[in-house]
């Protein structure tokens, strides 16, 4: 591996979060951003062609080394690592509203979900998944929330543009059997309206 | 009563309707569940039936959730009432009162779909582990905190701009036209020997007119030009020219002759200097 | 790389501690301890010959993947690349209230900013920018906060007297029409009094 690729490997390995190209550039001030990108590509190919169990992924606006999905089960079985705990359904719903409506205030979130949102918002904020991004001009100047880079990291997304468009979801409330695991197939087959 | 935990079933004919509310993320979620259980087309929700089922489902609510569910219960009951209102067939402007509820249900359903997608994405991501062991970071001085005066000042401005401006009661000085009122009263006195308070005020008096007239009257009485009397309680008092002997209430302390004080302070002073009521009657 | 070496690479990468050979064996019950050792050796050679920035080390009775010593400096720099911490808007606003009103209690800060201040106060205190300077005589004898010398140091001020007077701000504290957005022009044209 070339020296820059080595430097980048060491940095990505040591950092436990996605690192941006700009941050990586500070490792070698003489290198251009293009050099950094080339070295990242070298590292990525190296991992891929040599059959490493880890890969370089683009996540939340940066790059991170993660184990490949194929080894998830083995790692979990051996209990060498703890799987990130799942969010509650309430937290996921709240995140969904914020992800699609950001910047969005608490009142709108509560209106859409039909329940008060204070506790969930606080806990999402504490986990670093959402943050206050401003204040509305509306009465009382309520706080507005948006998602953080950590949110993208949690979902394995490069950026918010990777979220599906809402019209790609089906909202089928036609009568159907309640117990079928419907979401995936239904979404694929039924075209959504507006 | 034999089966201890009947499965979550919607209300058929059975009264044994058990819904584990903890399983729902709020009233909309519960409502969606009821609609699905009953295989109801969302375009045509039988509000009365669904409202009853909803009420039954939330009967045993814990207090901490109650508010959200009760609000929805209220909405449903109002909808139920609205649906009962008679409407003319083919009426143009009639809007289905269920429309808003349907919109919210669809929106919430969409959010649930999105949440499901996010959850699957998070699950997939959780299949990939970041580096597990992180040695303690080398002892580094904490990076210098970025803080500059400009930022602090911006923050001050931000705070200051958010302090609501105090609601001040604005006092508008509206000068009383005592002199004008005096001239009007004098004109009236030329014409008539006696008139009532209401006549003195004229038609549609403003509060300024009223106060001006009152002050003018008191001033005239003080100067001994008029007599003021109220025949009985709660009636308009009468004003009488004081040419002959006083037979009504005499104004004490003032000679009825020409007074050297043409207009006392009360006649010209703005409202702020309005003398206390006793001051005119009791100059001693 | 052979499958067992891959499994071991994934496990060592994800593990949060050194892993013993016996533990690694649980990844592949069919493999013997000797197989595991051979695979570990394969992995180690792979890292060494391919010039990776990481290596397999035997540590505390187990095995770990760590960055090579040669990259320590680069990694340190990578840690520096963590964005210099800036104060959040909430912290800035709280700090500004304290700077101008000190000594000031939490209730007054919250009254002015309209939001609860507990978390922000704690973090400002941890950063050494504010400190408790006394207790109010008011009910409950609440703590009073003031700024620290570090605060002055970071701002490059000799003392608090060097803070600009509030009437030098564009948003004048003087009473003005509540509903006209007059702040800028008004402040620019009307000389501040006193």
């Amino acid at each position: 591996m070339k020296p820059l690729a080595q430097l980048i490997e060491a940095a990505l390995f040591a950092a436990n979060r996605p690192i941006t190209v700009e941050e990586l550039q500070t490792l070698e001030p003489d290198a251009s951003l293009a050099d950094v990108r080339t070295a990242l590509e070298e590292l990525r190919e190296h991992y891929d062609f040599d059959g490493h169990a880890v890969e370089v992924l683009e996540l939340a606006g940066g790059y991170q080394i993660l184990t490949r999905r194929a080894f998830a089960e083995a790692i979990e079985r051996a209990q060498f690592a703890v799987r990130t705990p799942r969010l509650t359904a309430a937290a996921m719903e709240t995140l969904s509203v914020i992800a699609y409506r950001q910047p969005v205030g608490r009142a709108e979130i509560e209106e859409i979900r039909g329940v008060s949102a204070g506790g969930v918002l606080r806990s999402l904020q504490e986990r670093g998944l959402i943050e206050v991004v401003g204040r509305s001009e509306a009465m009382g100047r309520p706080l507005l929330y948006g998602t953080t880079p950590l949110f993208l990291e949690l979902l394995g997304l490069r950026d918010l543009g990777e979220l599906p468009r809402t019209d790609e979801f089906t909202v089928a409330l036609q009568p159907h059997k309640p117990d079928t695991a419907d979401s995936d197939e239904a979404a694929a087959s039924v075209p959504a309206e507006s | 009563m034999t089966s201890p935990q009947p499965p979550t079933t919607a209300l058929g004919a059975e009264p044994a309707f058990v819904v584990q509310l903890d399983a729902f993320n709020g009233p909309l979620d519960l409502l969606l569940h009821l609609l699905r259980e009953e295989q109801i087309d969302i375009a045509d929700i039988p509000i009365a039936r669904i409202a009853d089922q909803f009420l039954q489902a939330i009967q045993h609510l814990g207090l901490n959730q109650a508010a959200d569910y009760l609000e929805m219960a209220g909405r449903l009951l109002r909808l139920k009432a609205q649906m009962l209102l008679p409407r003319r067939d083919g009426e143009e402007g009639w809007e289905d009162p269920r429309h808003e509820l349907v919109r919210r249900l669809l929106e919430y359903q969409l959010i649930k779909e999105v949440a499901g997608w996010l959850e699957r994405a998070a699950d997939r991501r959780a299949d990939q582990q970041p580096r597990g062991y992180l040695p303690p970071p080398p002892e580094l001085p904490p990076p210098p905190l970025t803080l500059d005066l400009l930022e602090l000042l911006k923050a001050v401005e931000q705070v200051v701009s958010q302090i609501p401006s105090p609601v001040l009661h604005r006092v508008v000085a509206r000068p009383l036209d005592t002199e004008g009122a005096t001239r009007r009263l004098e004109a009236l006195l030329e014409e008539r020997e006696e008139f009532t308070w209401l006549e003195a005020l004229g038609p549609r008096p403003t509060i300024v007119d009223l106060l001006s007239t009152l002050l003018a009257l008191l001033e005239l009485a003080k100067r001994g030009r008029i007599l003021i009397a109220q025949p009985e309680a709660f009636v308009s008092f009468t004003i009488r020219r004081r040419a002959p002997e006083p037979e009504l209430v005499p104004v004490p302390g003032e000679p009825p002759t020409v007074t050297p004080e043409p207009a006392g302070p009360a006649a010209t002073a703005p409202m702020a200097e309005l003398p206390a009521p006793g001051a005119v009657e009791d100059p001693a």
Side-chain angles (χ1 to χ4, degrees), chain A residues 13-14 16 55 57 59 66-67 69 72 83-84 86 89 92-93 96-97 100-101 111-116 135 141 153-156 163-164 166 169-173 175-177 184, chain B residues 25-28 32 36-37 39-42 68 75 100 103-115 117-131 134 162:
Chain A
F13 189 88
N16 216 24
E55 60 182 330
L57 280 179
L59 265 189
L66 294 174
T67 57
R69 194 162 286 126
R83 213 183 152 91
T84 32
R86 283 176 149 220
M92 271 302 183
E93 285 183 13
S96 308
V97 177
Y100 279 87
R101 296 285 184 104
E111 166 72 17
I112 291 173
R113 290 197 53 235
V115 294
S116 59
R135 272 179 189 276
R141 300 188 38 76
E153 209 181 312
L154 176 87
L155 297 183
L163 286 172
T166 49
F169 290 101
T170 167
V171 181
L173 277 179
H176 61 81
K177 296 288 177 292
D184 279 351
Chain B
N25 297 316
L28 288 168
L32 280 179
R36 290 202 160 167
E37 282 288 302
Q39 307 210 2
I40 285 168
D41 182 0
I42 190 163
D68 297 328
R75 279 180 200 233
E100 172 64 10
R103 187 194 64 75
R104 284 189 66 190
L105 282 171
L106 286 173
E107 189 173 46
Y108 179 68
Q109 172 71 6
L110 176 64
I111 286 302
K112 275 181 73 84
E113 299 279 352
V114 171
W117 190 91
L118 294 189
E119 203 164 305
R120 289 192 292 277
D123 276 351
R124 280 172 53 81
R125 167 60 185 76
D127 279 346
Q128 299 193 268
Q129 294 283 356
R131 184 192 175 195
L134 289 177
Q162 276 168 24

Side-chain angles (χ1 to χ4, degrees), chain B residues 245-258:
Chain B
E245 275 302 298
E247 47 184 17
L248 302 173
V249 181
V251 176
E254 281 296 320
T257 49
V258 186

